[in-house]
Amino acid sequence: MAQPLVKKDDDHDDDLEFSPFMGIEKGAVLQEARVFNDPQLDPRRCSQVITKLLYLLNQGESFTKVEATEVFFSVTKLFQSKDTGLRRMVYLIIKELSPSADEVIIVTSSLMKDMNSKIDMYRANAIRVLCRIIDGTLLTQIERYLKQAIVDKNPVVSSAALVSGLHMLKTNPEIVKRWSNEVQEAVQSRAPLVQFHGLALLHQIRQNDRLAVSKLVGTLTRGAVRSPLAQCLLIRYSSQIIRDMSNHGQSGERPFYEFLEGCLRHKAEMVILEAARAITELDGVPRQDLAPAITVLQLFLSSPKPVLRFAAVRTLNKVAMTHPMAVTNCNIDMESLISDQNRSIATLAITTLLKTGNESSVERLMKQITNFMSDIADEFKIVVVEAIRSLCIKFPLKYRSLMNFLSNILREEGGFEYKRAIVDSIVTIIRDIPDAKENGLLHLCEFIEDCEFTYLSTQILHFLGIEGPNTSDPSKYIRYIYNRVHLENATVRAAAVCTLAKFGFMVEALKPRITVLLKRCIYDSDDEVRDRATLFLSVLGNDGLVDTEKDSIGFLFGSLEAPLVNLETSLKNYEPSEEAFDVDSVPKEVRSQPLAEKKAKDKKPTGLGAPPPAPVSGFDAYERLLSSIPEFASFGKLFKSSSPVELTEAETEYSVNVVKHIFKSHVVFQYNCTNTVPDQLLERVNVIVDASEAEEFSEVSSKPLNSLPYDSPGQAFVVFEKPEGVPAVGKFSNTLTFIVREVDQSTGEADDDGVEDEYQLEDHEIVSADYMVNVGVSNFRNAWENMVPENEIVDEYGIGPRDSLAEAVNAVTDLLGMQSCEGTETVASNARSHTCLLSGLYIGNVKVLVKAQFGMDSTKEIVMKLSVRAEDQSVSEAIHTLVSCG
Amino acid sequence: MILAVLFANSVGNVLIERFNGVPAEERLHWRSFLVKLGAENLKGVKNEELLVACHKSVYIVYTMLGDVSIFLVGKDEYDELALAETMFIITAAVKDVCGKPPTERVFLDKYGRICLCLDEIVWNGLLENTDKDRIKRLIRMSFLDSLFYQIFNYLLLLLFDQTRINFL
């Protein structure tokens, strides 16, 4: 316990024994609250009771609705008292009790009276309480007073009104936006606090108007901002403007950079750090511009205040990810932080050093970290382990010392997440550095001898089954694996049986011995273990269960083509019948919720009538929707549904997006329409599609939407036929046609007369990527090797100049519409070469794998070597055609 | 947003807690996480020395004041620097109310006023008031008030001593 600065006197022990709230009970306090109803109020006693109520609430005690209402009504009687101290307590307890909308009315008149009181404290607090408890209707009534309060001479009143504005902006933005002039005046206030709150509110009001924000920041950066907090806000807004400008392609000039650099010499430490952080986070900041910020941060590394050290090292840690060389000057200061009392600082220092250190300092660093690891919590250890993993990939020659470090910490005590991080790191190192394989596999084998986590044991056994048979002496792993069959629970035993079978299949010399071991497993107490052993014995004995060696490989090493979630859903939907469950019927598409529909989900129904139907999203949902429409029943199985493509701009009268559903010889366009005009009802909504630029498509039918009320989405469909199995492409122009009827908003009734109207929509295209389903594979290398090499086609392409490799990788992935594997979609910053692994399923259910190797020269010209393997050579050719045309 | 303000005693019992924008089901997790963090790191720390940690995308600044540990949790614009500023105001206000770094007893004695201070400083997750003198005035703890209060206590003590002497 901390040593208090107070002198320990004789009464101190008594203090500890006696608490004013000892034995406090809710029932008794509620009884005491009856003093609020006394005709002669005792302010002191009433304050004590309110304090007890606050204590109860702060201890997590909750009042029932009846109790809260009773207390609230009693509290309102206290407005009769003139005692200011009691009044202050009354304000607080009303906020804590959060009365319901129908109860609020009883205090509003008292609070509105206080809002115009001569006592500043009354004015400020009445505003705060009112804003907490009222709704939009009442807000319009007091708006006039709030505007006055914003420009009040007393900073407390002004601040209260401004902060209330910040809170109410979330619920009643239209009303608060009308206070712009008053808030503008508050920003010019001499009181630092008013300026701070004023600036925050004004920025919130104008945040969607880039020009206004830029003007505001421009004015304030020239003038004197008094509050350091406001100055920090200004720095954030300036850097946001710089970022926005670079996002909109206005590169070259950085309008507020001088201001940011000037803030590095501010007297407040908070401002200096904020400015340094803003400079380091600028996109593409040159080294010479970065230098002053790094120097300032370096100075803070040796500050006596932990918060400043933390802020500095946290910022440097981020800089190290993008500009490791810029941070190397701070390495000595950071090394001294490894022994910092504050473990968060020490961890950040270590992870930064691991990023910035050079190859020669790795051993020294590892020594320092070893001492440090024993006395930090698991969450910090995980961060360090992840940093070591990256370091090992960066300096492959140092894998021995890093692998030894990882194996040592693997033997120590630790929770599941920590152990998993270590195991993941070892696995990554084994995959990326072939020399580390045997050593790493042995470390993992030793770990499973004494591993308490079933999940990790099974993962390691699976990994051993894939990598172990390819080592120089596979037999040395068998002992570790077979031990699991004797010593572990059923889940691990079953995994061990699978691994043994893989060894038996891959290593011919081990096959007889593995068969003996598997035969022993058929007497296991667990059904699953016995079943697996029996199955694998059949596979190994080649007794006709599987036809060819290729089938055996596919069975043992192949990955499940469909995502597990899809399999689970399909199994749940399967009703037991004569017909067996067909694995091929499981959708293979990786489900991801489109952003547009996520937003739609968050939107609360505000329209008239019944709430809108839940938005239709995901492959399953589309499949269900389409199969429920008889006209589409004959099209066969749905191959792919695209994510929605917006055909209207945001915030227009009618919002329309299209989802493209691909069938074997048909394409269905699903137009999701939303009417955003409250006083209109649309009827017979249809989309007229002009397919003159899509020659291979011919329109078959369309299914209009009968009625489209306000804010209630509906779907119209248009069907096109195309040559079977051919990846036809084309462009489609769309026009929305409908009959519009005016709706009387007071009665909700629509006019009898409707007017025909049409609305031009954006065009959309069917592209080759629409014929590709992004199906992932768990082990790309195995999948690649199992694919026939004769079907491989390799070619090179010049992509042209790009800002970064990541941009080129994203462009190619989007063009092909394939799933990136093994995290290869992430490109290291400043990388000059990268390999991206992609997999997918082409129309006709043809599996395709792609290795795309990118390289960038000094002029940022990017070239790509594309290797494609597919089950059908024509598909490999089609992918190359696609890339060359794209 | 300041997600949480929490005061705990030396054995980890919560004295005051204010959560903003934290779902009810996550509060227990935060409460136990903060108390554990304090138990592990606040031993032997000087009064008002700020400690800092980060957990995922949130920042935590915490300190010891007398027998009471104070924790602030923030995210986005309320990073470690803004939280340190808020903590500085909170500790100054608590010291003003209690007259010294408080024992648990003194803290509980002044519970109502401390709640008022906190209400002035942090409101619904936003830092509102940063001027400790103004806060003192707003919760009716003017200089004269506190002076009278101290003189009254002193007289009471004298009276008590006198009675004890007479009794002996």
Side-chain angles (χ1 to χ4, degrees), chain A residues 235-525:
Chain A
I235 291 170
R236 284 179 195 175
Y237 301 154
S238 316
S239 59
Q240 180 63 43
I241 293 169
I242 299 174
R243 255 199 305 277
D244 284 350
M245 286 180 85
S246 64
N247 286 347
H248 287 82
Q250 291 164 291
S251 56
E253 50 170 336
R254 279 201 297 266
F256 297 112
Y257 180 76
E258 279 75 30
F259 165 69
L260 294 181
E261 207 194 5
C263 287
L264 291 176
R265 294 181 286 280
H266 199 275
K267 59 184 176 197
E269 290 155 335
M270 188 202 277
V271 176
I272 301 173
L273 273 164
E274 195 66 48
R277 196 172 282 169
I279 291 174
T280 57
E281 283 171 3
L282 291 179
D283 287 336
V285 56
R287 185 89 182 264
Q288 67 273 18
D289 288 355
L290 204 58
I294 301 285
T295 313
V296 161
L297 291 170
Q298 189 176 1
L299 288 174
F300 279 119
L301 287 178
S302 45
S303 162
K305 295 179 187 170
V307 171
L308 298 181
R309 292 201 300 276
F310 177 83
V313 78
R314 185 165 77 85
T315 312
L316 287 170
N317 188 285
K318 275 191 185 167
V319 180
M321 289 183 196
T322 48
H323 303 88
M325 294 315 288
V327 186
T328 44
N329 287 347
C330 310
N331 280 3
I332 295 171
D333 299 271
M334 260 184 294
E335 278 186 30
S336 62
L337 289 182
I338 294 179
S339 53
D340 197 293
Q341 284 291 307
N342 195 318
R343 288 303 169 201
S344 296
I345 297 175
T347 313
L348 279 168
I350 282 186
T351 46
T352 315
L353 282 168
L354 289 175
K355 282 170 201 151
T356 58
N358 51 30
E359 202 157 358
S360 58
S361 64
V362 168
E363 259 100 21
R364 188 164 49 90
L365 259 178
M366 297 319 292
K367 210 173 171 187
Q368 278 176 299
I369 295 172
T370 313
N371 302 331
F372 161 82
M373 288 295 270
S374 55
D375 50 30
I376 57 167
D378 271 9
E379 68 248 36
F380 294 131
K381 288 180 183 170
I382 292 170
V383 179
V384 176
V385 167
E386 281 165 0
I388 288 174
R389 181 198 311 175
S390 314
L391 186 74
C392 196
I393 305 298
K394 193 170 154 194
F395 301 126
L397 291 175
K398 293 290 170 192
Y399 80 85
R400 264 178 223 285
S401 58
L402 294 168
M403 186 71 99
N404 282 340
F405 175 82
L406 290 174
S407 70
N408 284 339
I409 56 173
L410 194 56
R411 285 189 212 112
E412 287 165 14
E413 288 294 306
F416 171 71
E417 291 296 333
Y418 174 46
K419 296 279 174 169
R420 187 163 76 165
I422 304 171
V423 170
D424 282 352
S425 300
I426 295 179
V427 167
T428 312
I429 294 170
I430 292 173
R431 278 200 178 133
D432 285 22
I433 307 168
D435 290 347
K437 190 197 263 185
E438 304 225 350
N439 196 2
L441 286 179
L442 272 178
H443 288 313
L444 291 177
C445 284
E446 274 164 25
F447 173 60
I448 54 171
E449 288 278 74
D450 190 24
C451 173
E452 56 186 310
F453 306 109
T454 301
Y455 176 84
L456 289 181
S457 294
T458 51
Q459 293 291 306
I460 292 172
L461 284 167
H462 174 74
F463 185 67
L464 268 174
I466 294 167
E467 299 291 346
N470 302 324
T471 53
S472 57
D473 182 13
S475 64
K476 66 182 171 193
Y477 305 109
I478 301 298
R479 178 172 65 88
Y480 297 102
I481 300 165
Y482 191 61
N483 275 348
R484 308 279 64 73
V485 178
H486 285 298
L487 302 170
E488 297 285 356
N489 60 42
T491 313
V492 181
R493 291 204 303 274
V497 166
C498 289
T499 310
L500 282 175
K502 285 175 185 168
F503 273 80
F505 191 83
M506 293 295 282
V507 188
E508 200 56 40
L510 288 177
K511 202 173 194 175
R513 285 188 272 168
I514 296 283
T515 311
V516 173
L517 293 178
L518 283 177
K519 275 182 183 162
R520 289 186 190 169
C521 299
I522 54 175
Y523 302 108
D524 194 280
S525 59

Side-chain angles (χ1 to χ4, degrees), chain A residues 88 92 95-96 128 132 163 167 197, chain B residues 1-7 18-20 70-74 78 82-83 85-87 89-90 93 114-130 135:
Chain A
R88 182 68 188 82
L92 180 55
K95 284 197 284 187
E96 289 293 316
R128 289 154 49 123
R132 170 81 185 253
V163 177
H167 287 300
H197 294 310
Chain B
M1 173 80 91
I2 299 173
L3 297 174
V5 182
L6 190 138
F7 289 70
R18 289 258 189 285
F19 284 105
N20 305 291
I70 309 171
F71 302 86
L72 292 178
V73 183
Y78 285 93
L83 289 179
E85 183 76 11
T86 315
M87 181 67 90
I89 303 151
I90 291 177
I114 292 170
C115 286
L116 289 181
C117 278
L118 207 56
D119 185 48
E120 290 292 343
I121 299 166
V122 180
W123 182 39
N124 268 11
L126 295 184
L127 173 65
E128 180 160 351
N129 228 327
T130 54
I135 294 164

